[in-house]
Each structure stands twice: as structure tokens, then as C-alpha cells.
Amino acid sequence: MENMNFTLKAGTSTAIVGPSGSGKSTIVQMCNRLYDPLAGDILYDGVNLRTICLKSLRESIGYVSQEPVLIYGTIKENLLYGNSDATDQDIKEALDLANAQFVYDLDLGLDTFVGVGSMLNLSGGQKQRVAIARALIKKPKILILDEATSALDPKSEHEVQGAIQHI
């Protein structure tokens, strides 16, 4: 295989596209150091990922999967899972950025129980926006959205796309 290089610039958005099996998810997994490349290097601010403390690296990356999982607990607990030191102001800012202000309209607001087994069924778009807020609350240097709208209905996709554009 030929050497391939590409650079992601700070403050920009980059889309990695290709057919199924072309390596998009593999790139995401390598950026998160779920495994290392067999050849070549991945650099972050000019530093080889292999030399960066794994905990520090992962704290600097916000990741939202195609089908996010909310832990069984309150919305606030789900958000604090992204950053246990977050303040109420940090929570508000993350929810605003993620276009997830709907949580304040729920009967118990941030204290509403969600996740597998909860009585409340959030829509796919609502779960996705809570997951985006959870990723944003850590104030990541890198935000990875792995097909963040592919499993959503058109209305939810529009709401999540609005949140992504706002970010």
C-alpha cells in the first residue's frame, strides 16, 4: 500500500467518507487509540499518539457514536459522565450548544431518569443531542461524530444537524 498522509487543521470540520469497509471507523478507532496502526504514525499537534498518555488523549477527544448509549441514571448524571467536574453553567452551555434545551421541559428536567430500563423513552434525536452535550461538556480539542445522524428520522436528523452546525 502506498504511503498516505492527511492533515486535520484546528478550527475546521473534516468529513471522512467512503463505502462500507473502506476504513472510516478504523481511522476513528486509531485516533482514539483503541488500537495502533500496523505501519506509520498518527500525530496529534506534532506528537506521536503512541507517546501521549492514553488518559490525557481520551480526555481531549469528544466522541459521539451512531447509536449513543445513555447510562441508567439522570440526564445530569449522563452529562457529568463526560466531565465529573462540570459546573451547572458548563451543563447549561453544553446543552445549549447541542440544541438540547428540551431537557428543561421534561417534568424533572436534569433529574429525569434515562437510559436502558428507564420509564422515559427519549427519541433518537433527543438521545443523540444528550450524547453530543455529554461529549461537549468535556470541552474536547477534537470532536468526533461517527455517523451521528444516520439512524435518525428526518425531524430528529434536522434537529441534530442544527446542533452540529451550531457547534
Side-chain angles (χ1 to χ4, degrees), residues 62-123:
Y63 176 74
V64 181
S65 67
Q66 179 178 350
E67 295 199 27
V69 175
L70 300 181
I71 61 169
Y72 180 74
T74 66
I75 290 174
K76 185 173 185 175
E77 289 168 338
N78 270 272
L79 296 172
L80 292 176
Y81 186 72
N83 176 1
S84 60
D85 296 326
T87 65
D88 288 344
Q89 183 61 31
D90 293 332
I91 290 171
K92 182 185 179 324
E93 288 172 8
L95 289 170
D96 288 347
L97 278 173
N99 194 17
Q101 301 91 343
F102 71 88
V103 301
Y104 296 114
D105 296 331
L106 300 173
D107 288 343
L108 298 175
L110 290 171
D111 295 322
T112 301
F113 275 85
V114 294
V116 177
S118 73
M119 298 301 285
L120 176 69
N121 287 319
L122 295 178
S123 72

Side-chain angles (χ1 to χ4, degrees), residues 16-162:
I16 300 173
V17 297
S20 180
S22 65
K24 301 177 302 291
S25 294
T26 300
I27 291 171
V28 167
Q29 291 169 353
M30 287 192 296
C31 288
N32 280 299
R33 282 226 40 225
L34 296 177
Y35 56 89
D36 292 323
L38 297 175
D41 298 308
I42 299 175
L43 306 178
Y44 179 40
D45 282 342
V47 177
N48 191 317
L49 282 189
R50 290 181 176 126
T51 66
I52 299 173
C53 168
L54 197 54
K55 184 177 189 285
S56 296
L57 173 68
R58 292 196 179 146
E59 285 175 350
S60 70
I61 297 174
Y63 176 74
V64 181
S65 67
Q66 179 178 350
E67 295 199 27
V69 175
L70 300 181
I71 61 169
Y72 180 74
T74 66
I75 290 174
K76 185 173 185 175
E77 289 168 338
N78 270 272
L79 296 172
L80 292 176
Y81 186 72
N83 176 1
S84 60
D85 296 326
T87 65
D88 288 344
Q89 183 61 31
D90 293 332
I91 290 171
K92 182 185 179 324
E93 288 172 8
L95 289 170
D96 288 347
L97 278 173
N99 194 17
Q101 301 91 343
F102 71 88
V103 301
Y104 296 114
D105 296 331
L106 300 173
D107 288 343
L108 298 175
L110 290 171
D111 295 322
T112 301
F113 275 85
V114 294
V116 177
S118 73
M119 298 301 285
L120 176 69
N121 287 319
L122 295 178
S123 72
Q126 289 172 324
K127 285 182 198 172
Q128 197 70 307
R129 286 181 282 153
V130 170
I132 290 170
R134 181 173 57 200
L136 291 173
I137 204 163
K138 61 194 311 193
K139 298 184 170 123
K141 293 183 180 193
I142 299 170
L143 179 61
I144 298 173
L145 304 172
D146 189 2
E147 298 189 51
T149 63
S150 65
L152 301 178
D153 62 80
K155 180 181 183 296
S156 296
E157 180 178 3
H158 178 74
E159 291 166 348
V160 172
Q161 284 291 357

